[in-house]
Amino acid sequence: MRHLLSAADLSRREALSILDMAEEMHEVQRRPIKKLPALRGRTIINMFFEDSTRTRTSFEIAGKWMSADTINVSAKGSSVSKGESLRDTMLTLDSMGVDCFVIRHGSSGAVAQAANWVKASVVNAGDGQHEHPTQALLDAYAMRQHFRQARVREGFEGKRIAIVGDLLHSRVVRSNVLLQRTLGGQVTLVAPPTLLPTGVEQWGVAVSHDLDAVLPRADIVMMLRVQRERMSGGFFPTAREYSAGYGLTAERLGLLKPEAAIMHPGPMNRGVEISSEAADAANSRVLDQVSAGVAVRMSVLYHLLGGEGGAR
């Protein structure tokens, strides 16, 4: 691997290798001293041109726990805010001998374009409404851990995964669909017609507008945030009506199989797409997803930079 720009970049072997190594990295989180020498001497720049808490923090922790020199750059503190182009910024930083860029950008395709300009490895930490591959990997990691805890068959083959909510504006859904296609999971997308992406019928997944019909068969129910900051029109009448039709309410918890898990990539709009009863339920794996984020991103960085020479 040189870059991780899309979940589609990963073969089944590569995806499982990342998940397997993440289990080893997860053990580091339980140690009193959380430090490995794996990336000593490597330099990683986290470039976030959009707001982020979970992703940015977990990438920073991941790099530091593996002894890499980790630097954070935001749009407001960079030359981009002075009018410099993204290309010139990337070329400038790349000329300093950086080993890896972790980039979040508001424009779809910007991260892939940046990867063409630099010699360093590039990780897509979310680009517009396009993709977020490490989120899909950590989701898969949390799913696999849940399957083990629930004592059901561990593999993804045949598992029913319902992804529910604002699919139109989500980069998480695209990466999850692509990764589950590789791993063998059966994805059903659930949303009102106004929040379905254009061309979703070509994605090779089932699509439903009836959440109540999908829930009883699901092994995993992943709720997605209603991204009001990306909306410019009336995609649904009111938050209350959206919750009534597509929210994981307290009443809908009774429709789930006992061994099913609830997931949400965060941040959550409690009372809209997910109720507090669902978010805090015993079968909720929301915090497990957050915990998995550091381990999975440690694994990704190691796969990119752990070998002799790295991308350069």
Side-chain angles (χ1 to χ4, degrees), residues 57-76:
T57 302
S58 63
F59 266 115
E60 183 177 3
I61 292 173
K64 288 182 175 179
W65 280 0
M66 290 194 294
S67 302
D69 296 314
T70 305
I71 301 164
N72 291 324
V73 175
S74 64
K76 293 179 182 178

Side-chain angles (χ1 to χ4, degrees), residues 194-220:
T194 54
L195 290 176
L196 285 175
T198 302
V200 69
E201 62 276 1
Q202 306 299 322
W203 289 17
V205 297
V207 178
S208 175
H209 306 307
D210 189 346
L211 178 58
D212 292 336
V214 171
L215 289 180
R217 302 193 305 271
D219 298 297
I220 302 289

Side-chain angles (χ1 to χ4, degrees), residues 2-15:
R2 181 181 176 193
H3 305 303
L4 180 55
L5 306 176
S6 165
D9 294 342
L10 298 170
S11 66
R12 179 183 174 83
R13 181 186 61 80
E14 288 171 329

Side-chain angles (χ1 to χ4, degrees), residues 88-279:
D88 286 336
T89 297
M90 295 302 304
L91 290 174
T92 298
L93 294 173
D94 192 55
S95 68
M96 298 178 184
V98 173
D99 295 292
C100 181
F101 293 100
V102 177
I103 306 175
R104 169 167 287 188
H105 200 280
S107 298
S108 299
V111 180
Q113 184 62 64
N116 292 326
W117 297 326
V118 299
K119 298 176 182 176
S121 294
V122 174
V123 179
N124 183 357
D127 61 329
Q129 299 172 22
H130 182 223
E131 275 212 58
H132 194 353
T134 60
Q135 179 67 47
L137 283 164
L138 72 88
D139 290 340
Y141 181 92
M143 290 178 200
R144 192 164 74 164
Q145 294 300 104
H146 168 74
F147 296 150
R148 289 177 181 172
Q149 293 169 14
R151 297 183 179 180
V152 298
R153 184 172 49 83
E154 182 179 310
F156 290 90
E157 293 83 358
K159 293 295 194 309
R160 292 188 174 98
I161 300 163
I163 305 180
V164 186
D166 183 2
L167 310 180
L168 178 62
H169 302 97
S170 174
R171 50 196 169 211
V172 172
V173 66
R174 288 167 172 80
S175 289
N176 266 284
V177 166
L178 290 168
L179 184 61
Q180 287 303 321
R181 184 183 301 166
T182 299
L183 295 175
Q186 297 178 4
V187 176
T188 298
L189 303 181
V190 186
T194 54
L195 290 176
L196 285 175
T198 302
V200 69
E201 62 276 1
Q202 306 299 322
W203 289 17
V205 297
V207 178
S208 175
H209 306 307
D210 189 346
L211 178 58
D212 292 336
V214 171
L215 289 180
R217 302 193 305 271
D219 298 297
I220 302 289
V221 179
M222 183 183 300
M223 308 304 297
L224 298 182
R225 180 174 66 92
V226 175
Q227 300 189 34
R228 293 173 175 172
E229 74 277 10
R230 297 182 189 272
M231 294 183 181
S232 57
F235 290 89
F236 50 85
T238 66
R240 177 176 292 183
E241 290 187 52
Y242 178 87
S243 181
Y246 295 94
L248 190 57
T249 60
E251 294 74 22
R252 285 196 170 105
L253 291 177
L255 298 176
L256 295 175
K257 296 190 293 187
E259 69 274 16
I262 298 165
M263 300 179 67
H264 194 305
M268 295 184 290
N269 290 318
R270 289 178 182 246
V272 183
E273 74 270 3
I274 189 168
S275 65
S276 290
E277 291 86 351

